[in-house]
Each structure stands twice: as C-alpha cells, then as structure tokens.
Amino acid sequence: MITSTLRRVLLVAKHASFQSRCCVASSRVQYSTVYDSNEKTFDKILIANRGEIACRVMKTCKKMGIKTVAVHSDVDASAVHVKMADEAVCVGPAPTNKSYLNMDAIMDAIRKTGSQAVHPGYGFLSENKEFAKRLVSYPGHIVLLIRLPGSYCYPVMIKASAGGGGKGMRIAWNDDETREGFRLSSQEAASSFGDDRLLIEKFVDNPRHIEIQVLADKHGNALWLNERECSIQRRNQKVVEEAPSTFLDPETRRAMGEQAVQLAKAVHYSSAGTVEFLVDSNKNFYFLEMNTRLQVEHPITECITGLDLVQQMIRVAKGFPLLHKQEDIPINGWAIESRVYAEDPYKSFGLPSIGRLSQYQEPINLPKVRVDSGIQEGSDISIYYDPMISKLVTYGATRAEALQRMEAALDNYVIRGVTHNIPLLREIITHPRFISGDITTNFLPEEYPEGFKGHQLTSEGRRELVATAAALYVSAQLRSQRFLGNLRVSTTPQEQRQWELCVELEKGSHTVAVSRSGSTFTVEVDGVTVEVSGEWNLASALLPVTINRTPRVLQCLSRDAGGDITLQYLGTQFKVRVLSQLVSTLSAHMPEKVPEDTSSILRSPMPGSVVAVSVKPGDVVAEGQEICVIEAMKMQNSLIAAKAAKVKSVHCKAGETVGEGDLLVQLE
C-alpha cells in the first residue's frame, strides 16, 4: 500500500535537562554541512517526540536559526528536550496514549504555538497516517508510507504496521504461535503507536539486515547515502550498527542503492528515508520495508558522508532542491553505533531497568566519539517510555580504529543508578566473529544460546582483576591511615609495604602477596607476578591503570569496609572480596544463606505494569502455561509456570504497577 501523507513539524521530546555537549557530538566529529543563514526554511518547528531524537532535531534547528517547540507529558516536564526548546507544551499525563499519541493535544499545541512544521522523529506518530490526515488542513510536506501486505507459508513475521523498533513484532512458526503473536503484538502496537493493525510477511531465516539511506527532494532528485549494517539485534530490535557494511562489494552496494532510489522516485517521495533489505549469504537482497522517517541509527551515515540529515529534511520540506549529486556522496572512514539502554542484558539480552541516574558521565572527552542523548545526571528512567539512554557513536579512518575507539568509549562511560547493557555491547564489539564481519540477525542467540553471561575471564584476565582489586584494597587501607592537618597521634608509625591477602572471585579463592613502590604495586597471584600502576584516585568514577604495561580503564562501582568490592572490568561487573589472611580463615566458619526455591513462585523479572492475570487461587496450571503478562516500556512479556501445580495465591491484578522481583503468583 502506498499512502501519500502530509507532514508539518512538531517537536516532542525527552527526559532531563540539556547540556549542548550531551546532545549531538564531540567537537572532534565534524559535519561538512554548511548551515546557510540566508537559506530561509521555517521560523518555528514542533517536534512530536521525546528523548534523544527530540534533542537531536533541536540541535540542528538551532544551527539553522529555527525556533523549536517541545511537547511533553507531565512526568517529562523537566526533561532535557523540554529545557532545550524555545517553547514547551504539556500534552497529557505519562501514559503514551494520553500524551505522545494524543493527536488532539498535539494538534492543539501546533495551533497554540503557531508552528509551521512538525518533525515526528521515530516511533509514536511518525508513521501514523491518521496523524498525517489531521495535518492536511495546514500547508505541509509530502511523505510516503509504504507497506507490502502478503500471505506466506511459515515461518512468518508479525509486525506492527504503524511503527518499528522491534515493538509489536514476533516470529511465528505455526498456527498457535501466530494466534499468540497476534494477541501480544496487537496490544504492543496499540500501546506504542496508537494503532493495533498488523502486517504478516514471509520471514527469511538467518539473513543480514542491511538498509540504504535515501534522500529525495520535491524536484525529482534522489540520492542513496550508502548502507548501514544492522544485523546485531535482540527481539528484532537493533543493538549495534555500522556504516559501511563489511559484507557488500561495490556492485551490490550500487544495485541496492539504485533500487532504493528507484522506489523513492516511483512514489514521489521527498525527505530522508530508509529502505530496508534482508541479504542472504550469496548477496541476494530482498525488500523488507521503507521507513519514511529518520532512523535511530542515522548518525553513522552522517559520520561517513559529512551530511546533517536533519538539516536536509528541513531544507527539503521547505522546497529547496538537494545540494549534492550521487557522485558527491563519499564513504569516508568507518562509524560504529552502540545503543546504550537501561536494561539488564543478563535477562533475555535486555529487560528494562528503571531508576534515577545518580551518576552520569559521557565519554565525549575521547577523540572521534559522539553521544546523542537526552538525559543528564539526576534524570529518571521510567516504565512509561523507551529505555534508551543514548546512542554512542565512534568514528575512524578504518573499521579497526572505530572499534578500538568504541572499546575505550564503553570503558569510560559512567552510568550509575540503573542497570545498563554496556557489558553486552562490549562483548559484541570484541567478539572474534563480529570483528571478522561474520554476522547475521541470529548472532546473539547463536553465540549465547544459554543467554548472555557477561565477560568470561581467562586465566590471565582473572589474575589482572585479582591483582587490581588487591592493589585497590591496599590503596584504600593506606589512604585511611593518612590525616590532613594536625597529627592525631603523637608518633608516626612506619608505613607498611607488604601485605598477605586472600581474594575471592567467582567462588574461587586466591592467595595474594602485595608489595608497593610509589604508585606501583607488585602482586603475586597464585605464584604469578602482576604489576599494576595508576593514580589510585578513589574519589574518581574511573580507575585508569596499567597492568603489565597494558593500559586499562576499570570502574569501582562499590567498596565497603568489609573488603567487598564491585569492579567493572572489560565492561562486565565482578564482585570481589579482599580479606586479610586472618579474616579469611575466620570467614570460613560463617553460615551460608540458603537460596530461595524459585520453582514454586513467580516474581516479576522487571519493573512494569500488569496487563493480564490468567489464573486464580485453586487453578491447576501446566508447565509452560501463561500465568500473567507484564508490560514494560511498551514491550509485553508473557510469564509462564515453571512446573505443573495448583495456584496457592495471586499477589497482583491487571492494571497494577510492579517492581523487579515483586512476588506475582505462588504455587503449592
């Protein structure tokens, strides 16, 4: 189906207060785009979205001299995008169907503010044709929504017709899975996009997901801006993207680009858009869909082409012709994007986490690092919206250089107060298969069939971590013995230079001997010598050290007087206990806590709201039977019984909000 729609531009934005350095890029990543102050586009644009995309659009609008209007829910009143905008309008309470999907309120905001255009971002109303119809009475700009309905043999993909981002999307291999997928996907689609209509299409197993960025104007001109490799996914949502793809040769790239442009021209498309393809191992490519909006992963295209896509969208919307020809579009270097989420990667590769960012520090001091975000320290991550924290982008002359910078950026990214997916991101970009470019959309389930377990320590890595923990422990002990000002004791004791310790890590115990010379510690771990040096600033969120002449950046997440230390090492959090030999001997006599029997209870794996409860006390359930459905950040999760049993008690009901670990149902 091809639908011509009219758009203006309304800004809906995100949570937290804005600092310009957080929103778009480090000064070391530059656009070649020229912002011509004499090129008059719009006076005022409304952005019908929130979060990092709203901030991203506002950044370009400010460069172009355009005033911006933010829309927000009541819980987003202090959000970054709201503070960044010139004007802000509250469009309702926190639930999306009462705020960011509330067309009446958004239309009223357009009228009240006199906005001349609306930028929908992605998600929410960005591909809602009813919203486009509501804008028809205003001078607008034509955009096209393209969907290809179909009926296929199994397996099939069930997907929301009005959106993307993995929401409202499921694979079905038989009739039962189709019925279940239809129910859950339609509910997610209604919650996320205000439209419960679904599409069913043939599912291509084990492909690559590669997309072509297109840009077209109202004068018949259209360009393809190279490809983006988006095969690393979980729950059909992209996690890591890069541009260009390691897989495409120039001929295939040109063929895909030319067909994408032909499609855009055939439907008279004008704006930035993305044509998505599935590509098999023989480089055969199959049309998937066209997203008639800005994509989440657009920054990597901007990095390798030097174009500001938001600026191009605004120019085209006003009626200006494209400034470039196809031969002007380069591939300069390589760019990688990691989507940083408030998620627990150890649960289904990422179940949502909520909380307040008690400490937040972006790694934009590093060269060729860009962070698109809409949050700051103190911002709240709530159950109501997408859990994305930021898009972390690194750029280099080569892929290896971009990957090395991504490693450093992830190690230097400080996020406290919520669980995040940096452990998973770092493991992906350092995985030998990813480095070689041998990836498909099944990468995560193939490489982690039992689920993600974090970084698996080698014997060398274990020694590095044990030695660093021991050195940190000794540094803290020495610091506690120093006093500023007058001496509190009459004599100065001789400073200790050697320590005998026991370090416990992952149910293993290591005998450690530590000696110190200045800021360098020589640590003997199980008979092997490790040298660790650093500044040992215990007040800093980052712990840069050199281990056997190899630079590392660790993070000390917690430390207490009992010797318990939590360190982030190679992206993963490790709990370490450092004890003196005497304390270690005595601790062996302490009783261990008996773990809870989880087969008879069902706890919520994440914070969210209860959509449905399918049982009541006295019911007999079979193993694998659905007990209830929990929705978190617009994703619905069916929770099942771990065994066949009778329901003893039910501790939740539809409509209630639950926290992670809350007891939902107890079985006999």
Side-chain angles (χ1 to χ4, degrees), residues 13 33 118 175 212 220 229 473 519 568 602 624 655:
T33 297
V118 174
D175 289 348
I212 300 291
E229 172 73 72
Y473 173 85
S519 62
Q568 182 173 305
L602 181 66

Side-chain angles (χ1 to χ4, degrees), residues 563-583:
D564 290 320
I565 302 173
T566 302
L567 290 173
Q568 182 173 305
Y569 169 72
L570 302 181
T572 295
Q573 296 180 17
F574 292 93
K575 294 184 181 298
V576 186
R577 172 173 284 184
V578 184
L579 305 171
S580 67
Q581 290 289 359
L582 175 60
V583 173

Side-chain angles (χ1 to χ4, degrees), residues 346 427 448 452-459 506 570 572 574:
Y346 301 97
E427 285 299 295
Y448 308 101
F452 179 66
K453 306 297 183 184
H455 180 75
Q456 302 302 298
L457 291 170
T458 62
S459 56
E506 293 184 333
L570 302 181
T572 295
F574 292 93

Side-chain angles (χ1 to χ4, degrees), residues 11 13-27 31 47 50-63 68 79-85 122 296 298-299 302 308 310 337 360 362 364 369-376 388-393 413:
L11 265 173
K14 172 162 182 142
H15 49 281
S17 132
F18 176 77
Q19 297 173 347
S20 60
R21 64 185 179 85
C22 297
C23 193
V24 174
S26 161
S27 61
Y31 292 129
I47 303 153
R50 67 184 300 277
E52 56 82 22
I53 183 56
C55 294
R56 165 70 185 90
V57 174
M58 289 181 189
K59 182 73 173 180
T60 290
C61 286
K62 287 185 181 296
K63 289 181 179 179
T68 56
V80 172
H81 76 273
V82 175
K83 295 184 177 182
M84 184 181 175
Y122 38 72
V296 173
H298 74 273
E302 294 182 326
D308 182 333
V310 174
E337 175 179 287
Y360 184 73
E362 296 174 346
I364 55 175
V369 172
R370 164 177 170 169
V371 183
D372 282 21
S373 69
I375 59 171
Q376 64 177 9
M388 181 182 285
I389 293 174
S390 72
K391 299 180 301 192
L392 178 62
V393 180
Y413 206 148

